[in-house]
């Protein structure tokens, strides 16, 4: 049969021009050094991503700390203002003025000390 004769089909019977290991090496894009370089690049990329992530976290926490300090400063200022208001409102002169002018109260003309049986009286001349 002529069709099965290798000479008529264009096939060469014999040793191929390349070996299987050469074919596998050619099929693989990376050699041993190439794989090492890719691993190193991957490792460096991983470290860079970790560094950027940690820097972002640090920056966010820094902003939060600055905001907390600003809020504490504002609350301290408000606290100081409230203490000044309390001191001003507790002044006896202001209480006396408000009681007489706004509320229509009158200072007593006589002050009793002790119980009514043993009371010692004192008159006031504040009117």
């Amino acid at each position: 049969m002529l069709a099965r004769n290798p000479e008529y089909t264009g096939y060469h019977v014999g040793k191929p021009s390349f070996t299987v290991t050469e074919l596998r090496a050619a099929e693989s894009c990376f050699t041993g050094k190439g794989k090492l370089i890719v691993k190193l690049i991957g490792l460096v990329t991983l470290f860079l991503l970790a560094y950027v992530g940690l820097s972002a976290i640090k920056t966010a926490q820094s902003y939060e700390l600055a905001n907390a300090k600003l809020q504490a400063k504002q609350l301290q200022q408000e606290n100081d203002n409230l203490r000044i208001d309390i001191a001003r409102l507790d002044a006896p002169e202001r209480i006396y003025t408000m009681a007489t002018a706004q509320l229509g109260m009158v200072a007593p003309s006589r002050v009793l000390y002790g119980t009514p049986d043993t009371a010692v009286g004192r008159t006031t001349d504040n009117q």
Side-chain angles (χ1 to χ4, degrees):
M1 193 175 192
L2 293 177
R4 293 193 182 213
N5 190 352
E7 293 177 21
Y8 297 118
T9 57
Y11 294 114
H12 296 336
V13 178
K15 193 173 187 181
S17 62
F18 53 88
T19 62
V20 175
T21 57
E22 290 174 350
L23 180 62
R24 286 186 185 155
E27 287 175 356
S28 175
C29 296
F30 303 111
T31 60
K33 287 184 181 179
K35 288 181 182 179
L36 179 64
I37 290 172
V38 169
K39 287 179 182 179
L40 287 176
I41 289 173
L43 188 62
V44 168
T45 304
L46 180 68
F47 281 128
L48 286 175
L49 288 174
Y51 176 75
V52 169
L54 290 175
S55 294
I57 291 170
K58 178 183 171 187
T59 303
Q61 287 180 347
S62 179
Y63 281 122
E64 288 178 17
L65 179 63
N67 287 338
K69 284 183 179 181
L70 179 64
Q71 186 179 9
K73 188 175 181 180
Q74 290 172 346
L75 289 174
Q76 184 64 40
Q77 182 66 34
E78 183 180 349
N79 194 15
D80 292 342
N81 290 339
L82 289 174
R83 287 181 193 270
I84 290 170
D85 288 345
I86 288 171
R88 184 177 50 84
L89 293 173
D90 278 348
E93 297 84 24
R94 188 202 67 83
I95 294 173
Y96 180 79
T97 305
M98 182 177 279
T100 56
Q102 292 180 357
L103 300 175
M105 297 177 134
V106 181
S109 60
R110 187 166 174 215
V111 179
L112 297 176
Y113 296 99
T115 61
D117 319 349
T118 61
V120 176
R122 179 178 71 121
T123 58
T124 59
D125 297 324
N126 289 340
Q127 298 177 4

